[in-house]
Amino acid sequence: MDTQNHSLSTLFDQLGLDSSETGINAFIKKYAPLKGELHEADCWNSAQSAFLKQAKDEDADWTEIVDQLDVMLRS
């Protein structure tokens, strides 16, 4: 089990996205406000979507930071 503490930056790295503060802010600005389930958003490829869904379904170590991203995309 992965027990490392995750941040938005490490989540964006995991998703293969620009993990800089500027990159994260640009992503949020581009895709917010999000409707529907996070993992079903059009901004994800199939692997990203599967990762986000699995993180939530399995209550994985990533769940807290995935929830944070979800909230940020809904504001």
Side-chain angles (χ1 to χ4, degrees):
M1 169 162 48
D2 184 4
T3 58
Q4 101 180 40
N5 291 325
H6 300 294
S7 65
L8 274 177
S9 181
T10 58
L11 176 60
F12 272 63
D13 281 339
Q14 180 71 20
L15 294 170
L17 301 171
D18 181 353
S19 62
S20 68
E21 185 176 343
T22 302
I24 293 169
N25 289 336
F27 184 89
I28 300 298
K29 183 176 180 180
K30 182 174 181 177
Y31 294 108
L34 184 68
K35 306 282 189 254
E37 296 292 327
L38 176 65
H39 72 276
E40 294 175 345
D42 292 336
C43 56
W44 311 121
N45 66 33
S46 59
Q48 292 165 328
S49 176
F51 173 80
L52 293 168
K53 183 172 181 354
Q54 181 180 14
K56 294 292 292 181
D57 288 351
E58 295 180 3
D59 196 23
D61 289 342
W62 290 98
T63 301
E64 186 175 327
I65 200 67
V66 169
D67 286 343
Q68 182 180 344
L69 176 60
D70 192 10
V71 168
M72 293 173 76
L73 282 166
R74 292 182 191 283
S75 11

